[in-house]
Amino acid sequence: MVKGIFHEKPRLVSWNITLRCPLACAHCYMDAGDREAEGVLSRREAFGVIDQLCEAGRPVVVLSGGEPLLRDDIFEIARYGTDQGLRMVMGSSGVLIDRAAAARLSEAGIRAVAISLDSADPTEHDSFRGIPGVWEKAVQAIRYCRDEGMGVQINTSVIRWDIDSVNRVIAIGRSLGVRDYQVFFPVPSGRGRDVSPGRPGDYERLIAEILVGCRDHDINVRPTCAPQFRRIADTLGIQDPSWGRGCIAGISYCRVYANGDVTPCPYLPVSAGNVRDTHFTEIWQRSEIFKALRDPAKLSGKCGRCEYQAVCGGCRARAYRGAGALSTGWCDGLAMPESLCGEICGEDPFCPYQPGGGA
């Protein structure tokens, strides 16, 4: 066992159960669309993955995609996980969640659904998602899921770098009874390699405004793919025990790809092993990639010197991309560590903070 930050059992697993999707979202890290992943896991194999996750520690399982509802067997897979005692949740655009689908999700034991809503402006949301009419379907999906007694979280990706855009989405969510929000900051991967990640100064300012704006409201908001929010929250005197560490990739969280490969997070497409060949527990506990991510002593550059490394850790996906994370461009799909040139424990190039007040 590696000394340092280590969770013997995973707490959260995101599962890209399919690459198929009816939308054409500008920021999609999977480049999802009409094609299915090569070697996608079958239903029987999906059941086997669930069995492995149960043995590894019963994490929360997020059925994601692509659009998970495009799998004909998604309800059976969700039901199997529920019957094994797992907390099964789903991430969706909401475009396929009508009243009947929401009822089936509830019957299958889905406890909560995260639905994407990127703008309060239907036209802007639809343009970002690549298909007209999806804003209204997302809003309706939120209503249907709440009517069925499932929890709802709104996932919003930063399109405009201003707090008003975020606040307007939250206001819509609150009017629908939603208390939980994740604000995603762009990581240029997959189709999203052409989406500007903004500037570090804008990034830090917006995080601070989100934290301050939500401090006195009865809602839960977590900036995502933005581990520096923990440092910023600390300087603002804002605390939330539910947050955990800023970057949890490979520590309490990982991703299962559609073909069974396991990676530290969806934006870090480096395979640590495949559940078809190696039990998930073996990958989780013994992968050299995960061991490195759990050892703070391996952090280098500013992240290695930073007094906030225990609560932040820097974005490992951006660190692996190096200076190129500030530009457009990324390696699509999955890769073995030796086939990419990044430093998984390097400094986060998107963080402007100088440890110890240095220049």
Side-chain angles (χ1 to χ4, degrees), residues 187-205:
V187 177
S189 57
R191 195 156 57 237
R193 62 186 177 275
D194 296 324
V195 175
S196 171
R199 296 174 297 180
D202 295 334
Y203 172 89
E204 297 251 324
R205 172 185 52 77

Side-chain angles (χ1 to χ4, degrees), residues 13-36:
V13 173
S14 180
W15 187 354
N16 295 124
I17 201 158
T18 179
L19 295 195
R20 291 184 296 140
C21 183
L23 306 185
C25 304
H27 65 310
C28 182
Y29 66 87
M30 300 295 298
D31 197 11
D34 294 335
R35 66 181 177 86
E36 183 56 278

Side-chain angles (χ1 to χ4, degrees), residues 177-319:
V178 177
R179 296 186 62 251
D180 299 307
Y181 303 83
Q182 286 200 359
V183 181
F184 285 80
F185 287 76
V187 177
S189 57
R191 195 156 57 237
R193 62 186 177 275
D194 296 324
V195 175
S196 171
R199 296 174 297 180
D202 295 334
Y203 172 89
E204 297 251 324
R205 172 185 52 77
L206 184 54
I207 290 172
E209 290 174 339
I210 290 170
L211 293 172
V212 170
C214 298
R215 174 170 47 190
D216 299 322
H217 295 287
D218 186 27
I219 56 175
N220 303 311
V221 181
R222 191 185 198 282
T224 302
C225 302
Q228 291 82 10
F229 89 89
R230 288 301 314 276
R231 164 178 52 80
I232 296 169
D234 187 69
T235 61
L236 293 171
I238 299 173
Q239 296 183 347
D240 186 331
S242 71
W243 279 337
R245 190 171 187 258
C247 181
I248 57 175
I251 295 171
S252 58
Y253 168 70
C254 69
R255 180 269 295 266
V256 177
Y257 190 64
N259 69 351
D261 276 305
V262 179
T263 78
C265 88
Y267 300 98
L268 185 50
V270 183
S271 177
N274 190 292
V275 292
R276 280 179 165 137
D277 309 316
T278 308
H279 195 286
F280 178 88
T281 301
E282 180 77 9
I283 296 171
W284 177 259
Q285 293 186 350
R286 301 188 182 278
S287 161
E288 293 302 319
I289 296 170
F290 286 178
K291 286 181 181 180
L293 291 169
R294 295 167 187 159
D295 187 356
K298 291 188 179 297
L299 289 173
S300 61
K302 289 192 301 182
C303 289
R305 304 190 305 272
C306 187
E307 61 270 31
Y308 291 99
Q309 64 173 238
V311 296
C312 170
C315 176
R316 295 300 95 212
R318 290 189 176 96

Side-chain angles (χ1 to χ4, degrees), residues 84-166:
Q84 305 315 303
L86 294 178
R87 180 180 174 87
M88 304 295 290
V89 301
M90 180 173 286
S92 172
S93 67
V95 69
L96 298 180
I97 301 180
D98 56 16
R99 194 176 297 279
R104 292 192 69 187
L105 288 172
S106 180
E107 291 168 2
I110 291 292
R111 301 282 296 279
V113 181
I115 295 176
S116 300
L117 195 66
D118 304 308
S119 175
D121 179 349
T123 301
E124 185 172 55
H125 175 88
D126 290 356
S127 175
F128 191 60
R129 293 281 161 177
I131 301 290
V134 297
W135 186 92
E136 183 60 36
K137 289 183 178 180
V139 171
Q140 287 284 39
I142 293 171
R143 294 191 179 104
Y144 293 145
C145 288
R146 284 187 49 77
D147 287 347
E148 289 296 331
M150 292 179 286
V152 174
Q153 173 181 287
I154 287 179
N155 289 350
T156 185
S157 296
V158 173
I159 300 176
R160 298 180 180 273
W161 292 82
D162 67 84
I163 188 61
D164 287 343
S165 295
V166 176

